[in-house]
Amino acid sequence: MLLTFSTSNIISQEKDKYMEITKKIVGSALREQKGYEWLRQLCEIGPRLSGSENSMKAIRWAENKMKDLGFEVWLQPVMVPNWVRGEKEESVIVESEFFKGKELKILALGRSVGTDEKGITAEVIEVQNFDELKVRQNEAKGKIVFFSRAHDLGTVNTFQGYGDAVNQRSQGATEAAKYGAVGVLIRSVTTKHDNVPHTGSMNNYVDSLPKIPAASLGFLDADFLSDALKKDPNLKLKMKLNCRTLPDILSYNVIADLRGTEKPDEIIVVSGHFDSWDLGSGAHDDGGGCIQSLEVLDLFKRLSIKPKRTIRCIFYINEENGVKGGIEYGNYADTTKEKHIAAIESDRGVFTPEGFAVTSDSLTLIKLQNWLPILEYAGTEWIKAGGSGVDISQIKNTQALIGFVPDDQRYFDLHHSANDVFEEVHPREMELGAAAIAMLAYLLSEEL
Amino acid sequence: MLLTFSTSNIISQEKDKYMEITKKIVGSALREQKGYEWLRQLCEIGPRLSGSENSMKAIRWAENKMKDLGFEVWLQPVMVPNWVRGEKEESVIVESEFFKGKELKILALGRSVGTDEKGITAEVIEVQNFDELKVRQNEAKGKIVFFSRAHDLGTVNTFQGYGDAVNQRSQGATEAAKYGAVGVLIRSVTTKHDNVPHTGSMNNYVDSLPKIPAASLGFLDADFLSDALKKDPNLKLKMKLNCRTLPDILSYNVIADLRGTEKPDEIIVVSGHFDSWDLGSGAHDDGGGCIQSLEVLDLFKRLSIKPKRTIRCIFYINEENGVKGGIEYGNYADTTKEKHIAAIESDRGVFTPEGFAVTSDSLTLIKLQNWLPILEYAGTEWIKAGGSGVDISQIKNTQALIGFVPDDQRYFDLHHSANDVFEEVHPREMELGAAAIAMLAYLLSEEL
């Protein structure tokens, strides 16, 4: 439970003013649903994997949209990794008395090497985790290691269940390579038990170990494979991945400013990451977060609200497989004469707002919590210490780094998969989030 | 913001015990998703309008399900209204230079009289509200009054927007009849701007006034009609409703008990209403709320949690058009020697839990709020005074009447329409709600 201080640092008259502004912002966001319409347009372009042609189309779309809305726009150049999936992956059981010919739905993991034309064909060893793999290391040589641990549905916070399962994705290939495995399959890390595989980034390969290909399995096919291995432990699976990493390529962070009226060199960042995986349309992850950030600026503009400090909307590139955009902007922030006061990131889907997670000193946190009587009108239930966002955490010396936290019950149904499409975004949920972020950004500008 | 007291009335050792139980309940609900599966089965039966054959099938299904799960079951007889829609409604513009032949999507409102075989054909007067109708009363005679005020999307709480718009549905026919109108159309009260009409109950007709038929229009067709009337104010519309009210018919509340170990005659009610409108499958309104209530009992049973007081699950019949089930149970509660300690109702959709709305004295409210450190694990963010539920409010002399309040952003997209189907229910959202209600019911049993 949140303990709040009954004495607010916002005097009563100011509170009335802020409440009036909050109501305007919420009303405009929910009634006009402008950002929702922009997200529809963005999603029509398709997914936006870093370095892809589509990502460049989307960057141009964003640049034009920001200019049309009347903002100053800066395309900040960033060199990004250029990992490409290539032709669709194949996986089939090629030797088995019972299961021969069964095809499995797989997706290469981001950063994985591909196989050669023939693919790899090997027996499969199923393990739950790295400890079990270590114990059974002698069985792994020459085989495909199948990490089959599922996202635990029993945790209320789905990010916790995700965190508990995701190391098989990030480190599985490295761990398996230690013991001479030739490939890795993981059960998709997802809360939805369909057969749509969920990808995501692996850590970089370790130079001292062989680089073995890694892919995720649809949840139902992971069940199938697990059952099949019980009946036929010696079945042989073929997997063929056509992915590869091309040389780094030029891309951009897309940045729009609403210039502050009194302290234009003091910056409040509102942001999301513009790249997505190459499936679905990256609607929740993180097209929606970007569009919310842009709508923050537009809400101020269309409602003639003039913040004292500059509100800067950043669409970071390459969060998914490199964070090069975040790092590049962090480098810029280190050297500019502008002062970065605070930064907000929306990268947990665009569902109904719950609260904000803050990295700051404790006095700043209390200050923010004292704004709750205003912020709660826009759906913010709490402000808690701890956590912010991958991209904004590259900005040093701010007073507060803040992650927007919406309801997370549906997020990992969609995350990193073909399920992450515009149709899964609810206009009111998304717009209420934009309003919540706008109001926090405004208070950060005026009161921090 | 919620003010809570830092001194809890639950001593530390008890808190640990309750936390352990909460974790078990949440884990079992989210992992096993049993209630979600039962809701699927229930929805396959179809909608459950009071008095309908389907409603009786569903009542038998519920009785069997409760018995299969091992509970004592009581079918409490209730006479309910038997309003039937009959053949599909028709509405078409029959005279107009521009719009002749255009069909409009309409749905009779619950309790409306039908038209005769020929239907009614009349000019249309569009008004926003009863005040405008009063001012323009001379124009209403012999016409169809079209109440076109929309649910205001700008309120954060969608129940507020609903409340602001719904009087045209509940009282529109009576108000229009005062001025000699021959029929009523209303813009569907909905947050979703598709063309699916949303029905709902009218108030009873007033005996001193003519009983005129009333129907709701799909939102897009309401826009169409509004535009058409601007171009051709004298267009004539035909509407034909085939609904009628048959004599009251026997139905049942379905009631299951988990007998208390120490105080079996002290009752904690968990409940929803089992009837629905005759469209979609009443998944959120309120099949889901019923199933959550049943799952509360089953969670205790399957986890061997033995409450001191009796936990009673009630599926009320006829909330939508009569509240006869609620009233009947209230009468029973007045006369039984059992003591009703508290009652919880889930009838706001089965979305992610937010909190509980409580009608009680202030000391009881504080007691409940002191449980928040436990309840928040199951997703409960707050406990506030005010409001409970239509059915449980028929039970007198309880210590607390409590409404379960989930996120409401999506509810009125579905409410009372063909959109309210199983596919709109998310398993984690629903199950987390069941867990939240279970934990509150348990604390009410042990600590109130």
Side-chain angles (χ1 to χ4, degrees):
Chain A
M1 185 179 331
L2 184 69
L3 291 178
T4 55
F5 291 71
S6 56
T7 50
S8 169
N9 65 341
I10 298 173
I11 58 166
S12 160
Q13 200 185 348
E14 294 293 289
K15 190 186 165 189
D16 291 349
K17 181 188 86 178
Y18 289 128
M19 280 308 298
E20 199 181 314
I21 289 171
T22 307
K23 286 178 186 175
K24 274 190 200 169
I25 284 174
V26 168
S28 177
L30 288 177
R31 287 192 191 102
E32 300 179 45
Q33 301 186 358
K34 284 196 179 184
Y36 181 69
E37 181 52 36
W38 304 337
L39 183 61
R40 183 200 308 274
Q41 295 164 15
L42 174 61
C43 287
E44 279 167 8
I45 297 170
R48 301 172 301 279
L49 184 62
S50 285
S52 68
E53 220 171 283
N54 252 5
S55 72
M56 284 309 301
K57 275 189 208 164
I59 286 167
R60 292 304 168 196
W61 174 89
E63 182 187 16
N64 289 332
K65 178 64 71 182
M66 290 168 174
K67 283 183 179 164
D68 289 350
L69 293 172
F71 301 112
E72 300 172 35
V73 184
W74 175 33
L75 293 195
Q76 182 184 29
V78 188
M79 292 302 290
V80 297
N82 193 11
W83 180 85
V84 297
R85 186 172 302 283
E87 296 281 289
K88 200 171 149 33
E89 301 83 348
E90 293 165 50
S91 181
V92 61
I93 297 176
V94 289
E95 280 186 33
S96 169
E97 186 181 350
F98 310 106
F99 308 110
K100 187 173 170 178
K102 165 71 179 175
E103 292 182 12
L104 301 175
K105 262 201 150 173
I106 65 168
L107 258 187
L109 297 181
R111 285 205 180 107
S112 175
V113 296
T115 62
D116 64 17
E117 268 303 295
K118 300 193 309 292
I120 54 174
T121 298
E123 287 186 5
V124 178
I125 169 178
E126 176 181 355
V127 298
Q128 294 301 305
N129 51 47
F130 299 156
D131 286 346
E132 184 184 353
L133 176 63
K134 195 170 180 184
V135 169
R136 297 175 59 194
Q137 57 183 269
N138 294 335
E139 301 170 57
K141 196 173 156 63
K143 290 190 185 160
I144 294 167
V145 174
F146 167 34
F147 293 101
S148 81
R149 186 163 92 258
H151 184 138
D152 178 6
L153 298 183
T155 64
V156 176
N157 186 315
T158 57
F159 281 84
Q160 187 186 327
Y162 174 72
D164 291 345
V166 78
N167 73 345
Q168 56 196 13
R169 189 190 83 205
S170 51
Q171 298 163 243
T174 301
E175 290 298 317
K178 285 183 188 169
Y179 308 120
V182 295
V184 160
L185 282 174
I186 69 160
R187 181 187 291 272
S188 285
V189 183
T190 173
T191 46
K192 189 168 188 180
H193 294 182
D194 59 12
N195 209 25
V196 176
H198 296 237
T199 188
S201 203
M202 304 165 35
N203 293 352
N204 284 316
Y205 287 106
V206 175
D207 279 340
S208 58
L209 289 168
K211 293 174 180 164
I212 64 175
S216 60
L217 266 168
F219 195 95
L220 297 179
D221 275 350
D223 278 348
F224 177 89
L225 183 58
S226 187
D227 291 344
L229 287 167
K230 286 181 187 72
K231 190 150 186 193
D232 184 358
N234 302 116
L235 65 80
K236 280 195 182 170
L237 192 74
K238 175 184 162 184
M239 65 187 263
K240 180 163 179 278
L241 308 187
N242 306 299
C243 49
R244 59 198 189 284
T245 300
L246 303 175
D248 285 2
I249 191 170
L250 181 63
S251 189
Y252 303 91
N253 293 327
V254 190
I255 302 172
D257 277 359
L258 179 72
R259 189 70 61 184
T261 52
E262 293 181 19
K263 299 169 180 175
D265 284 343
E266 295 192 6
I267 311 294
I268 309 295
V269 169
V270 288
S271 60
H273 69 83
F274 205 43
D275 63 305
S276 72
W277 286 103
D278 56 327
L279 306 144
S281 52
H284 276 284
D285 186 14
D286 185 27
C290 288
I291 297 296
Q292 285 177 321
S293 304
L294 178 57
E295 189 159 20
V296 169
L297 266 61
D298 190 65
L299 280 162
F300 294 146
K301 196 176 174 88
R302 70 199 195 221
L303 296 171
S304 300
I305 297 162
K306 296 183 192 308
K308 290 179 191 168
R309 288 169 167 143
T310 291
I311 313 294
R312 175 167 296 167
C313 163
I314 309 180
F315 293 2
Y316 292 105
I317 195 74
N318 186 228
E319 188 271 349
E320 294 292 1
N321 56 341
V323 199
K324 298 296 184 191
I327 293 167
E328 190 72 25
Y329 187 82
N331 289 340
Y332 163 81
D334 280 348
T335 54
T336 175
K337 69 177 174 44
E338 296 168 344
K339 190 174 169 194
H340 284 75
I341 304 295
I344 306 174
E345 182 169 322
S346 170
D347 183 21
R348 289 170 162 247
V350 288
F351 302 98
T352 297
E354 289 196 344
F356 289 99
V358 179
T359 298
S360 72
D361 63 45
S362 56
L363 286 181
T364 302
L365 179 65
I366 290 171
K367 195 161 191 176
L368 267 58
Q369 288 174 334
N370 276 330
W371 300 339
L372 269 171
I374 295 158
L375 292 170
E376 68 176 357
Y377 182 88
T380 302
E381 301 273 358
W382 47 258
I383 291 180
K384 288 177 188 164
S388 62
V390 170
D391 285 305
I392 58 173
S393 64
Q394 305 299 325
I395 309 175
K396 308 295 182 300
N397 302 319
T398 64
Q399 215 174 319
L401 296 173
I402 304 167
F404 168 63
V405 183
D407 180 25
D408 59 74
Q409 295 305 314
R410 290 176 278 151
Y411 187 54
F412 289 99
D413 289 4
L414 320 162
H415 179 255
H416 294 186
S417 83
N419 292 335
D420 187 5
V421 293
F422 178 72
E423 291 68 22
E424 295 292 336
V425 174
H426 190 271
R428 292 186 60 86
E429 295 183 342
M430 173 182 171
E431 294 288 350
L432 196 53
I437 297 167
M439 205 49 220
L440 179 57
Y442 188 62
L443 286 166
L444 289 167
S445 163
E446 308 306 284
E447 294 284 335
L448 192 62
Chain B
M1 186 180 330
L2 184 68
L3 290 177
T4 57
F5 290 70
S6 56
T7 51
S8 169
N9 65 341
I10 300 172
I11 58 166
S12 159
Q13 201 185 347
E14 294 292 290
K15 190 186 164 187
D16 290 349
K17 182 188 85 178
Y18 288 128
M19 279 308 300
E20 200 182 312
I21 290 172
T22 308
K23 285 177 187 175
K24 274 190 200 166
I25 285 175
V26 168
S28 177
L30 289 178
R31 287 191 191 104
E32 300 179 46
Q33 302 186 359
K34 284 197 179 182
Y36 181 69
E37 182 53 35
W38 302 337
L39 183 61
R40 183 200 307 274
Q41 295 164 14
L42 174 61
C43 288
E44 279 168 7
I45 296 171
R48 304 173 299 280
L49 185 61
S50 284
S52 66
E53 219 173 282
N54 251 7
S55 73
M56 285 308 301
K57 275 190 209 164
I59 285 167
R60 294 300 168 199
W61 174 89
E63 182 187 18
N64 290 332
K65 178 64 71 184
M66 288 169 174
K67 284 183 179 165
D68 289 350
L69 293 171
F71 301 112
E72 299 172 35
V73 185
W74 174 33
L75 293 195
Q76 181 183 28
V78 189
M79 293 302 291
V80 297
N82 194 9
W83 179 85
V84 298
R85 186 173 302 283
E87 296 281 289
K88 200 170 149 36
E89 302 83 349
E90 294 165 49
S91 182
V92 60
I93 296 175
V94 288
E95 280 186 33
S96 169
E97 185 181 351
F98 311 107
F99 307 111
K100 188 172 169 178
K102 165 70 179 175
E103 293 181 12
L104 301 175
K105 263 201 148 172
I106 66 168
L107 257 187
L109 297 181
R111 286 206 179 106
S112 176
V113 295
T115 62
D116 64 18
E117 270 302 297
K118 301 192 309 292
I120 54 175
T121 298
E123 288 186 5
V124 178
I125 169 178
E126 176 182 356
V127 298
Q128 294 301 305
N129 51 48
F130 299 156
D131 287 345
E132 184 183 352
L133 176 63
K134 194 168 182 185
V135 170
R136 297 175 59 194
Q137 56 182 271
N138 293 334
E139 301 170 55
K141 197 172 158 61
K143 291 190 185 161
I144 294 169
V145 175
F146 166 34
F147 292 101
S148 81
R149 187 163 90 260
H151 185 138
D152 178 5
L153 299 183
T155 64
V156 176
N157 186 316
T158 57
F159 281 83
Q160 187 187 328
Y162 175 72
D164 291 346
V166 80
N167 73 345
Q168 57 196 12
R169 190 190 81 205
S170 51
Q171 299 163 241
T174 301
E175 291 297 316
K178 285 183 187 170
Y179 308 121
V182 295
V184 159
L185 284 173
I186 68 160
R187 180 188 290 273
S188 285
V189 183
T190 173
T191 44
K192 190 168 186 181
H193 294 182
D194 60 13
N195 208 27
V196 176
H198 296 238
T199 188
S201 203
M202 301 165 35
N203 292 352
N204 285 316
Y205 286 107
V206 174
D207 279 339
S208 58
L209 290 169
K211 293 174 180 166
I212 63 174
S216 60
L217 266 168
F219 195 95
L220 296 179
D221 275 350
D223 279 347
F224 177 88
L225 182 58
S226 188
D227 291 343
L229 286 166
K230 284 180 189 72
K231 190 154 184 192
D232 184 358
N234 301 114
L235 65 79
K236 279 194 183 171
L237 192 73
K238 175 183 162 185
M239 64 188 263
K240 180 161 178 278
L241 308 187
N242 307 299
C243 49
R244 60 197 187 285
T245 300
L246 303 175
D248 284 3
I249 190 170
L250 181 63
S251 190
Y252 302 91
N253 293 328
V254 191
I255 301 173
D257 276 359
L258 180 71
R259 189 71 60 185
T261 52
E262 294 181 19
K263 301 171 180 174
D265 285 343
E266 295 190 6
I267 311 295
I268 309 294
V269 169
V270 288
S271 60
H273 69 84
F274 206 43
D275 63 305
S276 71
W277 286 102
D278 57 326
L279 308 144
S281 53
H284 277 283
D285 186 15
D286 183 26
C290 288
I291 297 296
Q292 284 177 322
S293 304
L294 178 57
E295 188 157 21
V296 168
L297 265 62
D298 190 65
L299 280 161
F300 295 146
K301 195 175 175 86
R302 73 198 194 220
L303 296 170
S304 300
I305 297 163
K306 297 184 192 306
K308 291 178 190 168
R309 289 170 167 144
T310 291
I311 314 293
R312 175 166 295 166
C313 162
I314 309 180
F315 293 2
Y316 292 107
I317 196 71
N318 186 229
E319 189 269 351
E320 294 292 3
N321 56 339
V323 199
K324 298 294 184 193
I327 292 167
E328 191 71 25
Y329 188 82
N331 290 339
Y332 163 81
D334 281 347
T335 55
T336 176
K337 68 175 174 47
E338 295 168 344
K339 190 173 170 197
H340 284 74
I341 304 296
I344 307 174
E345 181 170 323
S346 169
D347 183 21
R348 290 171 161 247
V350 289
F351 303 97
T352 298
E354 287 196 345
F356 289 100
V358 180
T359 297
S360 73
D361 63 44
S362 55
L363 286 181
T364 303
L365 179 65
I366 289 170
K367 196 160 190 178
L368 268 58
Q369 288 174 336
N370 276 330
W371 300 340
L372 270 171
I374 295 158
L375 293 170
E376 68 174 358
Y377 182 87
T380 301
E381 299 274 359
W382 47 257
I383 292 181
K384 288 177 188 164
S388 62
V390 169
D391 285 305
I392 58 173
S393 64
Q394 305 298 326
I395 310 175
K396 308 296 182 300
N397 303 319
T398 64
Q399 214 174 321
L401 296 174
I402 304 166
F404 168 63
V405 183
D407 179 25
D408 59 72
Q409 295 306 313
R410 289 175 279 152
Y411 187 54
F412 289 99
D413 290 4
L414 320 162
H415 179 257
H416 294 187
S417 84
N419 292 336
D420 187 5
V421 293
F422 178 72
E423 290 68 21
E424 294 292 336
V425 174
H426 191 270
R428 292 185 61 85
E429 294 184 342
M430 173 184 172
E431 294 288 350
L432 195 54
I437 296 167
M439 205 50 222
L440 178 57
Y442 188 62
L443 286 166
L444 289 167
S445 162
E446 308 305 285
E447 294 283 336
L448 192 62

